[in-house]
Amino acid sequence: MTAIDAHAVSATLSWEHTHRELLAALIFQHEMERKGLTSRLRQVNSAYDRLPPKSVYFTPYYYDDFDLGRFHYPAAASGAWMVNLSYEQMHFRCGRSYLLPDGRFAREQMLHCAWGERYREHLLAHGIPDERIRLTGHPRFDIYSRPSLLFEREALAAQFGLDPQKPWLLVPYNFNLSYISDRQRKGLEKRKYRLTDDFIQGVADARESFTEMVRTLTDRFPDVEIILRVHPAGYESETVYKNEPRLDRNLHLISAFDIANWIRAAALVIVWNSTSSMEALVAGVPAISYDPHPFSARFDYDVNRILPTFSELADVVEVVAALPDPALTYDWALFESWYKYRDGKNVARQIAIVE
């Protein structure tokens, strides 16, 4: 997103091409305007113009000096204060060396937002000075404190041929790494993402199990609308489910709109390891994970420790059968260590950086 000019200080937000950051950024823009500041938005890959004097520049991701040269150098050359929103805070251990901000610029010239104490600990261990870390909470959580921003269930039903009287089951589908090319893999490994054959095969195995799970649930529960949500950076479900006869019944491939719309409308969210499930908890929507092999314990991923996690398909079927009250419990202490705030004021904490 882009520049906000007022009171001699402007704030600049950059966003990727996906829905994920945009709605929270619009909340930021609105709150800035309420304070008498103006704003404009721009994508990261078009952030080549210099910024006004005394600007604060927010970026959703910053990995290393490669990103500085490719995306952010004009902002840095303008003398802008740089803020990394770090939109990939919960991660697999093998991705930590890549995902944590690296390089001299990250350590000496940027501020970094941590959603909670756990990521702050990772930043400190990685050499980011404590004075360069701000504890802000996750800005996307603020969406659920503003329901007027989201489509009503009836409007979604009418647009996508869903029955509003039936329970909706949301399945975020995120198996992109199972399709990774040799060139993409080498590029990530060059930037310190420690991918292994075992890791990539585990993603592929999970994808196959999830495909089986979706087809089983579609057949077992004809009175439940099942929404398969393609990952914003992926395409796989369109391939896996092409010509699927269940699409004529109660299975729907939908990628439109911010996923918050679908989370709020769902009776249950089932993930493999998606952090969309953390948003479901904030929205008060039941969520579980299905980790059939298992994968997350081997590669150290806390989503599947926070949620009830099942390795047997029969257990998932039992949860769906128990709707609308599946009586689930969560590890809220671990959740709070990653996501400190759920008070609807996380964007205000970002704006406090500007002020």
Side-chain angles (χ1 to χ4, degrees):
M1 309 154 219
T2 279
I4 300 158
D5 303 317
H7 307 330
V9 176
S10 64
T12 299
L13 286 134
S14 297
W15 58 283
E16 282 256 297
H17 60 280
T18 68
H19 298 302
R20 294 290 297 179
E21 305 93 36
L22 182 55
L23 190 49
L26 291 172
I27 296 173
F28 182 103
Q29 183 184 31
H30 175 71
E31 293 301 315
M32 289 287 284
E33 289 175 348
R34 286 181 58 189
K35 290 178 173 289
L37 305 171
T38 59
S39 64
R40 60 190 175 93
L41 309 179
R42 69 180 178 189
Q43 290 187 324
V44 169
N45 58 8
S46 63
Y48 294 115
D49 54 313
R50 293 175 70 88
L51 300 179
K54 295 185 179 179
S55 294
V56 182
Y57 176 88
F58 291 81
T59 178
Y61 310 97
Y62 187 89
Y63 301 121
D64 51 34
D65 290 341
F66 176 83
D67 285 337
L68 175 64
R70 184 177 182 186
F71 300 120
H72 309 306
Y73 180 76
S78 300
W81 291 289
M82 306 284 284
V83 182
N84 176 21
L85 294 175
S86 304
Y87 257 87
E88 295 176 298
Q89 297 198 12
M90 192 179 290
H91 50 264
F92 291 102
R93 182 176 55 246
C94 59
R96 190 165 299 157
S97 297
Y98 166 60
L99 295 172
L100 290 174
D102 218 352
R104 181 176 177 180
F105 189 85
R107 290 181 171 85
E108 298 180 1
Q109 300 294 324
M110 299 190 78
L111 296 180
H112 304 274
C113 294
W115 299 335
E117 292 291 348
R118 191 73 187 95
Y119 189 69
R120 178 177 172 274
E121 291 168 0
H122 285 314
L123 290 173
L124 291 172
H126 196 63
I128 301 297
D130 189 40
E131 63 268 19
R132 296 208 159 268
I133 302 171
R134 299 293 183 270
L135 206 62
T136 63
H138 195 337
R140 280 192 57 81
F141 287 179
D142 286 11
I143 295 169
Y144 300 97
S145 298
R146 295 166 172 80
S148 63
L149 295 176
L150 303 176
F151 288 104
E152 293 297 332
R153 202 168 186 272
E154 291 73 16
L156 294 171
Q159 185 165 347
F160 294 96
L162 300 163
D163 188 337
Q165 303 305 316
K166 294 180 178 180
W168 296 2
L169 194 159
L170 177 64
V171 183
Y173 206 84
N174 59 329
F175 303 101
N176 292 335
L177 280 175
S178 64
Y179 297 92
I180 193 171
S181 67
D182 287 341
R183 181 183 177 202
Q184 290 169 323
R185 178 174 174 176
K186 288 177 182 176
L188 287 173
E189 290 173 341
K190 185 177 180 179
R191 297 180 73 181
K192 301 181 183 179
Y193 203 129
R194 297 190 174 93
L195 292 170
T196 63
D197 293 340
D198 188 36
F199 185 89
I200 293 171
Q201 185 59 49
V203 180
D205 292 342
R207 181 195 67 209
E208 297 305 313
S209 295
F210 249 67
T211 302
E212 177 191 0
M213 179 199 75
V214 168
R215 288 173 172 153
T216 298
L217 295 178
T218 304
D219 292 338
R220 290 285 298 273
F221 299 98
D223 292 327
V224 174
E225 299 279 31
I226 298 177
I227 301 165
L228 193 63
R229 169 76 178 193
V230 186
H231 191 278
Y235 53 85
E236 59 268 60
S237 68
E238 300 288 351
T239 302
V240 171
Y241 291 94
K242 188 177 181 180
N243 301 320
E244 171 62 67
R246 294 168 180 82
L247 291 174
D248 295 326
R249 304 203 306 265
N250 59 328
L251 178 62
H252 309 269
L253 303 185
I254 302 176
S255 57
F257 308 137
D258 191 293
I259 195 173
N261 293 279
W262 303 102
I263 289 173
R264 190 178 69 133
L268 176 69
V269 177
I270 302 179
V271 303
W272 175 46
N273 55 50
S274 172
T275 52
S276 297
S277 58
M278 304 293 97
E279 294 187 34
L281 298 192
V282 173
V285 174
I288 64 171
S289 62
Y290 178 47
D291 193 16
H293 294 297
F295 184 88
S296 296
R298 283 189 291 150
F299 296 104
D300 189 18
Y301 199 67
D302 278 351
V303 160
N304 304 78
R305 299 184 178 103
I306 294 169
L307 296 176
T309 297
F310 302 101
S311 59
E312 298 296 330
L313 181 52
D315 294 327
V316 177
V317 170
E318 186 175 323
V319 172
V320 177
L323 291 175
D325 185 15
L328 303 172
T329 59
Y330 309 100
D331 188 337
W332 285 109
L334 184 56
F335 176 94
E336 296 290 352
S337 73
W338 283 101
Y339 305 100
K340 183 176 178 64
Y341 301 109
R342 290 179 283 155
D343 57 3
K345 299 178 181 178
N346 294 334
V347 166
R349 294 182 182 94
Q350 292 178 349
I351 293 173
I353 294 173
V354 179
E355 295 175 325

